Amino acid sequence: MAETPAARSVASKDAQLLDPDFLARLEQLEIVSRKIHASRQKGERKSKRKGESAEFADYRNYVVGDDLRHIDWNIYARLDRLFLKLFLEEEDLNVSIIVDVSGSMAHGKPQKGMYAKRVAAAMAYIGLCNYDRVNLCAYNDRVADFRQGMRGRRMMPQIVKFLEEMPIEGKSHFAAAARQFALRQSQKGVVLILSDFMDKGGFEAGFRYLLGRNMDIYVLQILSPEEVNPELAGDLKLVDCEDEDVAEVTISKPLLDKYKANLQAYCESIRSYCMRRGASYYLAITDHPFESLVLNYLRQRGLVR
Amino acid sequence: MSFLTWPAALMAASISIPLLLLLYFLKLRRVERTISSTLLWKKAIQDLQVNAPFQKLRKNLLLLLQFLLLLAVLMAIAGPVVNFVRQPERNVVLLIDQSASMRTKEADGRLRIDLAREAARDFVDNLPSGSKAMVVAFSDRAEVVCTFTNDKRRLKDRIDSIEATDAKSRIGEALQLAVAYSSSFVETTGDAGFNPESLQIADIELFGDGRLTDAADEFVTRARMTHHIIGQASDNVGITAYDVRREIDRPGVVSVFAEIQNFGDKPVTLDASLFLDDKLKDVQQVTLGPASIATSRPASDDLLSGRNVLFEPFDHDAGGVLTVKLSRDDSFPLDNVASGPIDPPRALRVLVVADDREIAYMMERVFRDALEINDVTLMGAGNYEDAEESELAVEGRSAFDLVVLSDHDTARLFPGNYIFFGGVPKIDSLTVDGDVEENFFVTWREGHPLLRYVTLDNVYTRKWKRLNLPPHAARLVDGEDSTVMALITDPGHRYLVVAFGLLDTNFRMQPAFPIFMQNAVDYLAGGAVTDSSRLIAPGDTFTVPTPPGAQMMTVVRPDGTEEEVAVEDRHTMTYGRTREIGSYLVKFDDKDKTTETFCANILDATESTIRPNKALTLSGQAIETVSGDVEVNEPLWPWAVGLALVLLLVEWWIYNRRVMI
């Protein structure tokens, strides 16, 4: 699925990635963070900290040294006691989207990589619309490219360009990439990982780096229909597109059954790993329209609102 | 090294080698396909492989090849050992008994001859390759069924062609054939300068029940003989002697005599029925005790528990065939029937040729008064020689049932029965060599029918003629180194030659003389009433005098088929295809349409003793015995190798299926 440079132009790919109608519908959504994260900048999100905003949170007794501006004078007039009126502070949300662009993502009909980019673009747009701080990270065996701190709808073309121009190639090494990402992105927030997790290095180590940062992790595993239901037959020499590894097989029903069971078990292992660590796991098959994935599935499962 | 089963190996190779190659090519021809990741596939293969057998072995192709090699070596070792140690190349003569007793039905319903054929076939199968074998079937005669060959298929085909006959078992001729063939065989195949002393005649393998009539007379030299005992059944009741005759003094009355013996272990009661031309005449119930077990020597006198049955004499003036049947379904049914022909009665005619009047008178008195024979003709020696042929002969045969000649040698011998006192028939095989001056006889055969109840102790003679007898003559009375009385049986003729003249002895004065003459009439002329030579054993030949004018002899055999023989000899015709029991009706196409009936019966205690002889001896020499069943040793190693091949293929298949997944 190598794309020609000409086809990679922004104009032509813009429509390909996200169409305007869809964008309009995305504007109504926002990314949900189950954790309320502290942020350095004020934003549109509630913070754990009490602060200055329009939203009332609580009262508390006045102690010496409190800011007199926050005393509720109406209460004082009625009860002759001093109370402080507390407001919720609102702050912005760090939304990091990690996209797997290793060679294995170039496979599948529809292509997994394109699917991942689209979902990434959609989620980024949602984030931008909600005035969240959006970080984009593409990786294969390391972090291939990283855009940080994009805010506001005007950043959208930049994000689209970034995604479109990102080549899909190389081996995947999630652990190494996650480590680099965790080093660079020290702020807490929502992390959405888009990958097929066809990674011989395993996935646990990578998650550990992200969990160590106390991030709110969402995992979207993207598989192609060919991977779920391999339409292979006969005596084959299967070549791994990433590392040229070879497996000689004679396709038989027991083998296919075994493969499917293994795939299911693998997905299940990722899911249960995520569950145990408070992360959310979603599975997407690329023949499932991604618009409905974003608008319905992720919504129902609570990633967006 | 030899391969006993190379066609099987070739077949196995033609199946297994292409299969192996197929598997090999299947492994090579794989389509390359790029996929996103082999991660899960590898895991699936591993998971399947974990459960597969020979997990450790599979990775090591070299080990598998070594295993194959080892297998091949094992096979190569095992095969030759089986061949060399157990069976060196042999030259074998298979003697297969086809006598009447081989028609015994065994417990499983098969005939003994079938078992013998099967045992012989198994034996041939188990012969090591390169061995040569010949097959001889024998009953009363021996016949080479297959000459020396190493073609097992041909041997088995020939063995299958052997059928049982109704004849007696005599091994002598078969042994001679075996020795003759194997000697010439060794000579032709041996080295140029072979040593007769070291000559090893082929091994003789006898397949039969071991009941041989001539076991006491035959012997095996220089060859190893093995007796494969065939059969087990012993239950049999049979007729061992049978006679049909008209009473001499009352020719219209027929009496039938049969000796019935039980050869089984249990006492039996049965009915013996007498039929005249298939019409029931008389039934007698017979109870017989169990046979005393006589195994070593199957001689008639070992077998007890026999009974003589004399049927009620009855009047019958016509001819016919008299048959005795036993009402018992035993293992050997052939001896349950005996039949004999009887002719219409005819008064005996006796001719006495004597110049001496005293002798002529005495003879007439003996015949007329003592033996009640009225038709006695007296004739001088000169008259006898001069007489017209029509006086002496009818239809080429002697007109008299018995001719007694005293002191007269003659060549006028029409087919018939003759007694010579002091004279001899002028035949080529008999000559006289002077006189013997002795007075007393030394030995005589008391049991012979001619000498039954005849006491010769007190007989005195002055001298007798020294006879040079032909080999087939039966010597009845002997002096110190010469024969006094002999019975010579030639085709159509029987001569009782007494070497002394009646005037030289006191024999004519003895009470024994009329008894002797009675025996002579019964034995010699009795044939006119019932010719005992018309009761034959299966396989014997019979001789019929040819009526004048006959051109063609037709024999109606027991199974109803007719056989025509052109008459060549003017006097007699001989017929020999009599191996089946039953009546042989001989018809001539002369103007009188002469017919004669001959009956072949088993009448042989040795054949009727169907209990297999487990300790066969030939002339006192014990023969090694092998039970007919145990001999088979099926070589099992081809099966084992075949199994190994199949296992190997399965292993290969599993190997490929698991690894290539």
Side-chain angles (χ1 to χ4, degrees):
Chain A
M1 292 266 176
E3 290 156 36
T4 58
R8 227 179 265 162
S9 71
V10 180
S12 62
K13 282 290 173 177
D14 201 2
Q16 270 199 352
L17 267 182
L18 301 169
D19 67 273
D21 290 350
F22 181 62
L23 285 177
R25 298 176 70 184
L26 288 179
E27 285 175 15
Q28 301 162 2
L29 299 173
E30 62 170 320
I31 293 171
V32 177
S33 173
R34 282 163 302 179
K35 297 169 184 172
I36 296 173
H37 299 283
S39 177
R40 287 193 202 115
Q41 285 178 297
K42 300 216 181 284
E44 293 191 336
R45 305 232 168 209
K46 280 173 243 168
S47 167
K48 262 197 281 189
R49 284 180 287 182
K50 306 290 181 290
E52 299 153 6
S53 74
E55 245 177 287
F56 168 78
D58 207 353
Y59 291 103
R60 75 167 162 82
N61 288 333
Y62 170 79
V63 282
V64 178
D66 280 338
D67 191 345
L68 294 177
R69 287 177 294 178
H70 293 142
I71 291 172
D72 191 338
W73 297 109
N74 292 331
I75 301 283
Y76 180 72
R78 267 193 280 159
L79 302 173
D80 201 18
R81 288 174 66 183
L82 288 171
F83 282 99
L84 279 190
K85 196 177 182 181
L86 300 180
F87 294 91
L88 288 177
E89 184 161 276
E90 290 187 338
E91 58 187 30
D92 65 351
L93 178 67
N94 258 308
V95 176
S96 303
I97 301 169
I98 303 178
V99 186
D100 182 357
V101 289
S102 66
S104 65
M105 294 297 280
H107 278 267
K109 277 179 187 173
Q111 196 197 49
K112 289 189 284 182
M114 180 58 72
Y115 197 88
K117 283 177 178 177
R118 283 180 174 180
V119 175
M123 299 313 290
Y125 187 70
I126 296 171
L128 291 177
C129 287
N130 289 295
Y131 218 62
D132 291 331
R133 191 181 289 271
V134 175
N135 308 311
L136 262 179
C137 170
Y139 80 94
N140 36 44
D141 58 341
R142 60 198 158 77
V143 173
D145 206 347
F146 193 36
R147 290 290 164 83
Q148 234 172 339
M150 289 175 289
R151 256 180 125 174
R153 230 175 274 188
R154 63 193 160 79
M155 299 301 286
M156 193 58 200
Q158 217 179 316
I159 287 175
V160 170
K161 187 166 183 283
F162 169 83
L163 287 173
E164 282 188 337
E165 290 185 351
M166 182 57 59
I168 302 175
E169 64 194 8
K171 292 185 183 180
S172 67
H173 196 327
F174 178 56
R179 186 165 165 272
Q180 282 183 2
F181 173 81
L183 285 173
R184 288 201 209 172
Q185 176 64 39
S186 54
Q187 286 184 21
K188 291 166 188 155
V190 173
V191 178
L192 175 63
I193 305 163
L194 305 170
S195 173
D196 55 2
F197 291 102
M198 293 294 178
D199 187 340
K200 283 170 186 154
F203 58 88
E204 292 93 340
F207 279 127
R208 237 175 276 136
Y209 288 117
L210 301 178
L211 288 165
R213 288 283 176 189
N214 199 17
M215 291 188 178
D216 194 2
I217 300 174
Y218 293 85
V219 176
L220 180 63
Q221 188 181 10
I222 299 169
L223 295 175
S224 64
E226 291 88 341
E227 283 166 333
V228 178
N229 270 314
E231 287 180 358
L232 301 174
D235 301 311
L236 300 173
K237 187 174 171 186
L238 300 178
V239 182
D240 194 316
C241 66
E242 292 184 9
D243 57 4
E244 309 287 312
D245 187 25
V246 168
E248 292 194 327
V249 298
T250 300
I251 301 297
S252 63
K253 189 159 187 312
L255 179 71
L256 284 177
D257 291 348
K258 196 78 208 171
Y259 171 82
K260 285 175 189 170
N262 276 345
L263 180 68
Q264 207 165 3
Y266 185 62
C267 296
E268 180 60 29
S269 72
I270 301 174
R271 196 186 73 83
S272 69
Y273 185 89
C274 293
M275 289 281 284
R276 268 179 276 134
R277 286 156 184 82
S280 300
Y281 168 86
Y282 310 101
L283 174 66
I285 314 295
T286 55
D287 58 350
H288 186 232
F290 96 102
E291 287 92 345
S292 100
L293 173 88
V294 175
L295 293 175
N296 303 321
Y297 179 69
L298 293 182
R299 209 168 169 185
Q300 282 162 14
R301 304 291 297 272
L303 175 60
V304 294
R305 180 166 63 195
Chain B
M1 179 176 156
S2 62
F3 291 99
L4 279 172
T5 52
W6 63 267
L10 205 68
M11 229 159 72
S14 67
I15 295 169
S16 58
I17 290 174
L19 264 174
L20 207 68
L21 289 175
L22 197 71
L23 286 173
Y24 181 69
F25 284 123
L26 274 181
K27 185 203 163 200
L28 284 184
R29 219 174 285 157
R30 283 179 189 280
V31 180
E32 204 168 297
R33 186 75 66 88
T34 308
I35 56 161
S36 58
S37 176
T38 53
L39 175 72
L40 292 167
W41 290 106
K42 287 252 166 168
K43 230 175 137 210
I45 295 166
Q46 273 169 15
D47 286 350
L48 283 181
Q49 281 176 353
V50 165
N51 297 328
F54 308 115
Q55 180 72 14
K56 293 268 168 60
L57 293 179
R58 194 185 320 106
K59 298 241 166 170
N60 200 338
L61 191 68
L62 273 179
L63 191 66
L64 187 79
L65 288 174
Q66 281 166 3
F67 174 65
L68 271 171
L69 199 76
L70 185 71
L71 207 73
V73 168
L74 281 177
M75 194 187 88
I77 290 171
V81 166
V82 168
N83 283 339
F84 283 123
V85 174
R86 298 215 31 123
Q87 299 167 325
E89 269 182 32
R90 294 170 64 188
N91 296 322
V92 184
V93 182
L94 279 76
L95 302 187
I96 297 175
D97 188 353
Q98 58 172 173
S99 64
S101 60
M102 297 303 280
R103 291 207 165 170
T104 302
K105 198 182 282 179
E106 289 293 338
D108 59 355
R110 292 199 291 168
L111 295 184
R112 212 169 255 185
I113 187 75
D114 298 332
L115 300 177
R117 281 198 298 250
E118 193 181 296
R121 276 203 309 270
D122 286 344
F123 181 84
V124 168
D125 274 336
N126 283 314
L127 275 178
S129 58
S131 301
K132 286 196 167 68
M134 75 178 280
V135 182
V136 178
F138 70 95
S139 50
D140 58 331
R141 314 187 262 269
E143 174 192 358
V144 176
V145 178
C146 184
T147 51
F148 270 109
T149 178
N150 56 6
D151 182 351
K152 288 187 178 182
R153 176 174 295 194
R154 183 165 157 243
L155 280 168
K156 285 192 278 184
D157 281 351
R158 300 303 297 155
I159 287 170
D160 281 337
S161 73
I162 297 173
E163 291 294 340
T165 64
D166 292 342
K168 294 180 181 186
S169 46
R170 285 205 195 92
I171 199 172
E173 200 179 322
L175 285 176
Q176 284 167 14
L177 274 175
V179 170
Y181 269 82
S182 55
S183 305
S184 66
F185 170 72
V186 173
E187 278 174 41
T188 49
T189 57
D191 295 335
F194 83 93
N195 178 8
E197 287 301 310
S198 67
L199 185 72
Q200 176 68 44
I201 289 168
D203 291 344
I204 296 174
E205 306 285 341
L206 169 65
F207 292 87
D209 50 15
R211 294 292 168 189
L212 305 171
T213 317
D214 55 353
D217 307 327
E218 299 297 335
F219 53 89
V220 187
T221 51
R222 290 197 310 208
R224 200 169 66 84
M225 181 161 165
T226 311
H227 175 210
H228 298 255
I229 300 164
I230 304 294
Q232 284 170 341
S234 60
D235 170 41
N236 184 34
V237 176
I239 302 170
T240 52
Y242 180 66
D243 206 359
V244 177
R245 58 177 60 211
R246 291 184 181 278
E247 298 195 0
I248 286 173
D249 45 352
R250 291 181 294 161
V253 177
V254 176
S255 56
V256 177
F257 157 88
E259 184 184 335
I260 301 170
Q261 276 195 9
N262 179 15
F263 300 93
D265 303 327
K266 291 174 189 144
V268 292
T269 302
L270 52 87
D271 289 334
S273 318
L274 173 67
F275 294 87
L276 172 64
D277 290 336
D278 299 331
K279 218 173 76 190
L280 185 65
K281 291 299 282 188
D282 190 14
V283 179
Q284 297 226 355
Q285 196 181 59
V286 188
T287 304
L288 300 167
S292 59
I293 296 168
T295 49
S296 59
R297 220 163 59 83
S300 316
D301 47 4
D302 276 357
L303 307 161
L304 303 172
S305 75
R307 246 196 76 187
N308 296 339
V309 178
L310 190 63
F311 290 92
E312 191 68 34
F314 58 92
D315 290 330
H316 182 62
D317 288 337
V321 174
L322 284 157
T323 306
V324 171
K325 290 180 184 168
L326 302 185
S327 63
R328 191 158 186 281
D329 187 20
D330 55 26
S331 299
F332 185 50
L334 291 179
D335 62 358
N336 293 354
V337 176
S339 52
I342 190 136
D343 285 339
R346 187 157 60 86
L348 281 179
R349 293 189 71 200
V350 175
L351 172 66
V352 177
V353 179
D355 286 334
D356 189 272
R357 290 188 57 188
E358 186 199 337
I359 290 172
Y361 176 75
M362 181 194 71
M363 282 295 178
E364 193 178 0
R365 289 266 67 79
V366 166
F367 284 122
R368 281 187 202 281
D369 299 341
L371 306 183
E372 293 180 335
I373 295 169
N374 297 319
D375 192 352
V376 179
T377 309
L378 296 174
M379 208 179 266
N383 295 347
Y384 179 76
E385 296 297 330
D386 298 338
E388 294 286 322
E389 184 174 329
S390 60
E391 273 184 68
L392 299 177
V394 178
E395 294 177 358
R397 291 189 78 177
S398 171
F400 299 95
D401 297 306
L402 182 63
V403 180
V404 181
L405 299 106
S406 177
D407 297 314
H408 179 61
D409 301 346
T410 182
R412 273 201 113 176
L413 298 166
F414 298 100
N417 306 301
Y418 297 86
I419 303 178
F420 288 87
F421 286 103
V424 291
K426 285 180 179 169
I427 53 177
D428 294 341
S429 53
L430 179 66
T431 53
V432 177
D433 188 14
D435 287 345
V436 181
E437 300 272 340
E438 279 179 50
N439 297 338
F440 295 101
F441 311 140
V442 178
T443 58
W444 55 90
R445 284 173 64 177
E446 281 174 355
H448 195 277
L450 279 167
L451 297 181
R452 203 171 291 155
Y453 312 121
V454 176
T455 317
L456 295 176
D457 293 329
N458 302 323
V459 174
Y460 165 85
T461 53
R462 283 197 310 171
K463 59 170 186 182
W464 60 78
K465 292 181 172 173
R466 186 183 291 276
L467 302 175
N468 292 325
L469 291 165
H472 63 274
R475 289 146 212 263
L476 302 178
V477 181
D478 283 319
E480 262 177 46
D481 61 346
S482 57
T483 299
V484 184
M485 192 189 295
L487 180 68
I488 301 167
T489 310
D490 284 339
H493 298 81
R494 277 192 292 187
Y495 311 109
L496 178 63
V497 182
V498 182
F500 52 82
L502 285 173
L503 290 174
D504 295 332
T505 178
N506 66 343
F507 187 33
R508 66 182 195 275
M509 308 299 183
Q510 298 281 332
F513 185 67
I515 299 173
F516 172 74
M517 290 309 292
Q518 169 82 61
N519 287 344
V521 169
D522 279 359
Y523 185 80
L524 296 174
V529 184
T530 304
D531 193 344
S532 60
S533 69
R534 287 162 61 183
L535 281 173
I536 57 172
D540 283 0
T541 54
F542 59 77
T543 305
V544 199
T546 318
Q551 300 295 320
M552 190 65 76
M553 176 175 86
T554 308
V555 180
V556 183
R557 297 172 54 79
D559 55 3
T561 57
E562 294 192 1
E563 191 177 347
E564 293 195 337
V565 187
V567 173
E568 287 166 2
D569 192 332
R570 215 163 45 80
H571 298 293
T572 54
M573 286 294 292
T574 303
Y575 184 75
R577 288 209 323 126
T578 57
R579 282 195 168 188
E580 286 171 58
I581 61 166
S583 305
Y584 293 81
L585 178 63
V586 181
K587 297 194 280 194
F588 288 100
D589 59 349
D590 62 325
K591 62 182 189 300
D592 294 337
K593 301 287 177 206
T594 311
T595 61
E596 295 234 32
T597 308
F598 291 83
C599 290
N601 298 305
I602 299 241
L603 301 184
D604 184 346
T606 308
E607 283 308 317
S608 292
T609 311
I610 59 169
R611 184 198 309 278
N613 187 356
K614 299 219 163 111
L616 178 64
T617 54
L618 293 182
S619 302
Q621 173 191 2
I623 300 299
E624 184 188 339
T625 57
V626 176
S627 167
D629 308 327
V630 202
E631 180 61 12
V632 188
N633 55 343
E634 191 89 17
L636 288 174
W637 66 267
W639 292 98
V641 170
L643 188 71
L645 267 174
V646 170
L647 280 175
L648 193 69
L649 284 174
V650 168
E651 203 268 338
W652 251 105
W653 182 70
I654 292 171
Y655 173 88
N656 280 297
R657 189 167 156 270
R658 297 294 189 218
V659 173
M660 310 309 168
I661 280 166

